[in-house]
């Protein structure tokens, strides 16, 4: 069964709350008024700059990221995260 509120997305935003070392979620701010929850699983690929592999502990607050996965628009949550790419290693100004 496919839910109409779910769709495959690729979004860019700022990390509002970085995942803790044992955490499996983070929040990403897409616009000044829209923040989404991002679930992180062992299958999620986390890439640093130049597509080099990295870990969830390298993701920092206010860092620019690109997230790919299934967005549930009802809950404002990416429920199945395929990849998180660090767009900038420096926090946004």
């Amino acid at each position: 069964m496919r839910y109409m509120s779910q769709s495959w997305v690729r979004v860019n935003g700022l990390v509002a709350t970085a995942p803790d070392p044992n955490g499996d979620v983070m929040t990403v701010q897409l616009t000044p008024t829209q923040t989404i929850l991002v679930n992180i699983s062992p299958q999620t690929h986390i890439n640093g700059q130049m597509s080099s592999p990295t870990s969830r502990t390298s993701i920092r607050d206010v860092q620019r990221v690109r997230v790919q996965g299934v967005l549930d628009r009802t809950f404002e949550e990416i429920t199945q995260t395929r990849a998180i790419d660090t767009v900038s290693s420096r926090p946004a100004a």
Side-chain angles (χ1 to χ4, degrees), residues 14-32:
L14 297 175
V15 176
T17 307
D20 64 58
N22 299 315
D24 59 356
V25 296
M26 70 178 193
T27 55
V28 174
Q29 184 174 358
L30 303 180
T31 70

Side-chain angles (χ1 to χ4, degrees), residues 11-14 28-36 67 71 76 78:
V11 296
N12 294 309
L14 297 175
V28 174
Q29 184 174 358
L30 303 180
T31 70
T33 60
Q34 183 183 20
T35 302
I36 61 170
V67 181
L71 174 65
E76 296 289 319
I78 295 187

Side-chain angles (χ1 to χ4, degrees), residues 14-74:
L14 297 175
V15 176
T17 307
D20 64 58
N22 299 315
D24 59 356
V25 296
M26 70 178 193
T27 55
V28 174
Q29 184 174 358
L30 303 180
T31 70
T33 60
Q34 183 183 20
T35 302
I36 61 170
L37 185 67
V38 177
N39 291 311
I40 303 171
S41 73
Q43 292 78 29
T44 301
H45 297 280
I46 302 175
N47 299 306
Q49 294 206 284
M50 308 299 277
S51 297
S52 59
T54 189
S55 71
R56 71 182 76 202
T57 58
S58 65
I59 299 171
R60 303 281 181 236
D61 288 350
V62 198
Q63 193 170 36
R64 293 186 187 279
V65 292
R66 180 178 303 114
V67 181
Q68 300 173 42
V70 176
L71 174 65
D72 186 316
R73 294 183 193 287
T74 301

